[in-house]
Amino acid sequence: QVQLVESGGGLVQTGGSLRLSCAASGRTSSMSTMGWFRQAPGKDRELVSTISWSDGRASYADSVQGRATISRDSAKNTGYLQMNSLTPEDTAIYYCAARTNDRRSIWGYWGQGTQVTVSS
């Protein structure tokens, strides 16, 4: 089992920045990938970014490319999502999720989510 806890959400003005954190605990040695998802009211959940836990390779959705940076600190078992140039369209609940080595195709572990609200 892997437990995930997000933090760092809040209210920010358009053009501002936030850094979200995702603290992992439990069987963190089994993690292969950490991802950040978001879901806005009335919209489908969107995969925002992923990072390979072993080598740090990252991927981004087009909607955040150039404005987001995903990173991880393996020693602290914590992942981060830095978001810049925020707009109201970024308003959503942000969730981190993890895949493990034995179930690489499934996002099997989820955090509780953290609200990000961008005011215009």
Side-chain angles (χ1 to χ4, degrees):
Q1 294 281 355
V2 176
Q3 293 79 43
L4 303 171
V5 178
E6 303 97 334
S7 61
L11 175 65
V12 63
Q13 292 184 333
T14 295
S17 299
L18 279 177
R19 189 176 82 154
L20 306 180
S21 300
C22 178
S25 61
R27 291 183 60 235
T28 56
S29 60
S30 67
M31 288 173 53
S32 62
T33 312
M34 179 176 281
W36 285 94
F37 292 77
R38 66 185 180 184
Q39 188 162 23
K43 294 188 177 181
D44 292 335
R45 184 172 59 193
E46 177 188 17
L47 175 58
V48 174
S49 183
T50 67
I51 188 166
S52 168
W53 205 249
S54 61
D55 62 15
R57 284 179 299 170
S59 68
Y60 300 94
D62 289 344
S63 59
V64 302
Q65 184 75 45
R67 300 188 298 121
T69 302
I70 192 170
S71 61
R72 92 274 192 242
D73 185 331
S74 299
K76 295 182 178 179
N77 292 319
T78 301
Y80 305 95
L81 182 68
Q82 175 73 38
M83 294 281 292
N84 301 321
S85 302
L86 289 163
T87 73
E89 287 68 39
D90 295 311
T91 295
I93 300 175
Y94 284 70
Y95 300 91
C96 71
R99 297 189 297 208
T100 53
N101 291 320
D102 59 340
R103 301 172 72 191
R104 289 178 179 267
S105 64
I106 299 173
W107 295 100
Y109 303 97
W110 292 83
Q112 82 288 352
T114 186
Q115 177 71 50
V116 171
T117 302
V118 184
S119 63
S120 57

